Amino acid sequence: SLSRLLYLLQQETSSTELRTECAVVLGSLAMGTENNVKSLLDCHIIPALLQGLLSPDLKFIEACLRCLRTIFISPVTPEDLLYTDATVISHLMALLSRSRYTQEYICQIFSHCCKGPDHQTILFNHGAVQNIAHLLVSTSYKVRMQALKCFSVLAFENPQVSMTLVNVSVDGELLPQIFVKMLQRDKPIEMQLTSAKCLTSMCRAGAIRTDDSCIVLKTLPCLVRMCSKERLLEERVEGAETLAYLIETDVELQRIASITDHLIVMLADYFKYPSSVSAITDIKRLDHDLKHAHELRQAAFKLYASLGANDEDIRKKIIETENMMDRIVNGLSESSIKVRLAAVRCLHSLSRSVQQLRTSFQDHAVWKPLMKVLQNAPNEILVVASSTLCNLLLEFSPSKEPILESGAIELLCSLTQSENLALRVNGIWALMNMAFQAEQKIKSDILRGLSTEQLFQLLSDSDVNVLMKTLGLLRNLLSTRPHIDHIMSTHGKQIMQAVTLILEGEHNIEVKEQTLCILANIADGTTAKELIMTNDDILQKIKYYMSHSNAKLQLAAMFCISNLIWNEEEGSQERQDKLRDMGIVDILHKLSQSSDPNLCDK
């Protein structure tokens, strides 16, 4: 049956009418279940149909393309099958000029098979932009629409394509202008949404400025309209996700969106599905709502996260929207990983607000579900959740205490050992925040949890961010005298080793400055300063940095000296004598003539 049809399709001796009928029947089969498509793929239908495209007969070519289109839009078909033979793409480009049907089907095949940068590059290099651009003004709506979809997938997160599109014109009109015409209110929704996606990609790639009127007055309002109750659920999902992407990094667009059509309130409606079912006739709708409920919540969280990324007033408005904090907290424990990730992103965005950390975050004990999310979550969630935790651990956040009691130190210490760089940075950053103005017990717990081996591991990390945050942690641990003396009495040898290691290594100015500040803190201890005074190697390094070419390092080195020589402290005379013998006074004389007023004063 199947194999017989395929055999007839491929027989050069069969009449073209028969071969065309075979392609039509196979196309109908492909429209059935996913299993049908699997069976067709197992029979190697794709190479057979691609071979058919070499025929001179246009009707047969169209039938083969229609069947290929149906197979490629099925989720069970691997996109890569289109790219196994490089000549296929060139041949499809050439067939674009044959008829409106070849145009419609080929564009549809391209837009379904273009997944990720590799595919985009192949199509781009085969002239997709030039070959498809003129189809945007075709007389056939289907061709215009499929061409537009092609551009939307080609340009997505692709600066190369986006930068090219800006300068392409069709019949004397530039593509951005054509896209703007396609998102006017009188156009079908699918066309409005897709052209808004094209303009969004071009804007995010820097091909169109964020303050360009085609973004501010056309694209953004169009996407906000897509979020309204009048739209279908799937349109609302796509509208909100695209808008979230458009405004994600631009504070001005965030402000404009937040005051367009009551968007913040409008999004609250995304959480009301599935709505309560009244009559048995609504079962079909319930099924549809259930299917989209996850996607709606995910889209709303994403858009709220983008809206609140920078502006304090917008965050306040979001949090004051009905039950918002409860919704986020519920989102953190949803079964769908995509919803969980979007909820964490939203929480992270709102956690940038000092005001909210002190109020709503405290009232809803947000840290509890957050700590739960951090237990064995996949990396992409861990990165955002641990960033949020960093904010909850800032010294002014009332959540700091309960988080500590719930085993955070252990959790964060384990993050610092992650293979994933972002997790190492967040782990050490959160510990640094935790240690800031903390009591001695917490500081000791952090040091115990990290272990000296791990501390050295972090100080020799190849990433400068990890190194800077680890030094920040050390600086926070070594603050206030009793703490400095206590920590140096238990970990002095290792910490001095670490300081030496860094001052001798190839590091940038910021790293060395931070390290000298740690030394200055140690010099401020009562018993701890002896660890510096009895270490000639370190004293010589301080002397060296006093004469360094960089003023920041000179200042930091002088802080160390001034903390060592306070007159009213015990043993100050002996310390002053030793430093005098080392020639420190001569350097100070020289520095008092410096042209830098800060150095001069110090």
Side-chain angles (χ1 to χ4, degrees), residues 399-450:
S399 311
K400 193 168 170 175
E401 288 306 310
I403 290 175
L404 283 170
E405 286 154 23
S406 66
I409 293 180
E410 203 180 334
L411 179 100
L412 294 169
C413 288
S414 70
L415 286 185
T416 66
Q417 299 177 22
S418 169
E419 294 288 305
N420 180 303
L421 172 61
L423 289 179
R424 286 205 303 285
V425 172
N426 287 349
I428 196 72
W429 194 341
L431 288 169
M432 178 182 106
N433 287 350
M434 193 186 273
F436 184 75
Q437 294 181 355
E439 53 199 63
Q440 192 175 307
K441 183 188 176 311
I442 293 172
K443 292 181 176 181
S444 301
D445 287 349
I446 291 174
L447 268 172
R448 200 173 311 119
L450 257 187

Side-chain angles (χ1 to χ4, degrees), residues 557-574:
M558 274 196 283
F559 267 111
C560 297
I561 298 294
S562 65
N563 281 348
L564 291 170
I565 59 174
W566 285 111
N567 275 326
E568 59 272 18
E569 289 175 5
E570 200 185 328
S572 61
Q573 207 48 56
E574 291 88 332

Side-chain angles (χ1 to χ4, degrees), residues 376-511:
N376 61 50
N379 274 0
E380 53 175 347
I381 287 187
L382 272 180
V383 170
V384 191
S386 55
S387 272
T388 312
L389 194 59
C390 284
N391 293 342
L392 290 182
L393 286 167
L394 288 161
E395 82 280 8
F396 47 71
S397 161
S399 311
K400 193 168 170 175
E401 288 306 310
I403 290 175
L404 283 170
E405 286 154 23
S406 66
I409 293 180
E410 203 180 334
L411 179 100
L412 294 169
C413 288
S414 70
L415 286 185
T416 66
Q417 299 177 22
S418 169
E419 294 288 305
N420 180 303
L421 172 61
L423 289 179
R424 286 205 303 285
V425 172
N426 287 349
I428 196 72
W429 194 341
L431 288 169
M432 178 182 106
N433 287 350
M434 193 186 273
F436 184 75
Q437 294 181 355
E439 53 199 63
Q440 192 175 307
K441 183 188 176 311
I442 293 172
K443 292 181 176 181
S444 301
D445 287 349
I446 291 174
L447 268 172
R448 200 173 311 119
L450 257 187
S451 82
T452 322
E453 294 78 47
Q454 183 55 12
L455 198 59
F456 276 103
Q457 196 68 46
L458 291 165
L459 289 172
S460 51
D461 199 285
S462 58
D463 184 82
V464 70
N465 254 328
V466 174
L467 179 53
M468 281 297 282
K469 297 285 182 277
T470 310
L471 292 171
L473 168 64
L474 273 175
R475 195 172 166 180
N476 288 348
L477 290 172
L478 295 165
S479 63
T480 73
R481 275 197 186 156
H483 295 187
I484 296 170
D485 289 331
H486 175 75
I487 288 173
M488 292 308 285
S489 70
T490 55
H491 291 80
K493 190 170 152 233
Q494 293 92 332
I495 288 174
M496 293 305 279
Q497 256 178 322
V499 168
T500 313
L501 188 79
I502 287 177
L503 290 178
E504 284 175 357
E506 292 290 320
H507 292 293
N508 66 27
I509 299 293
E510 281 69 31
V511 168

Side-chain angles (χ1 to χ4, degrees), residues 176-236:
Q177 295 165 313
I178 295 177
F179 292 149
V180 167
K181 279 188 179 165
M182 291 175 140
L183 52 71
Q184 286 166 345
R185 287 167 185 264
D186 58 343
K187 297 289 186 286
I189 295 298
E190 158 184 58
M191 184 171 266
Q192 289 184 46
L193 245 175
T194 313
S195 45
K197 280 168 110 171
C198 292
L199 289 159
T200 294
S201 290
M202 291 163 78
C203 179
R204 281 301 303 265
I208 300 178
R209 290 169 53 112
T210 52
D211 56 2
D212 190 306
S213 63
C214 78
I215 297 298
V216 178
L217 303 177
K218 303 286 184 188
T219 311
L220 187 146
C222 168
L223 290 168
V224 173
R225 285 202 303 276
M226 296 303 149
C227 299
S228 77
K229 258 187 163 149
E230 282 67 76
R231 303 271 52 91
L232 298 172
L233 298 188
E234 36 274 68
E235 293 162 357
R236 294 170 77 181

Side-chain angles (χ1 to χ4, degrees), residues 267-269 271-272 297 301 304 321-332 334 343:
L267 282 178
D269 193 69
F271 295 94
K272 299 184 177 158
R297 287 198 291 277
F301 282 140
Y304 276 137
T321 308
E322 45 173 337
N323 312 330
M324 195 57 210
M325 288 310 275
D326 292 331
R327 292 201 165 118
I328 296 175
V329 167
N330 292 338
L332 292 176
E334 279 212 30

Side-chain angles (χ1 to χ4, degrees), residues 307-319:
L307 283 163
N310 297 291
D311 188 290
E312 198 54 53
D313 296 333
I314 299 177
R315 290 184 196 127
K316 194 166 180 296
K317 268 194 202 160
I318 292 172
I319 285 179

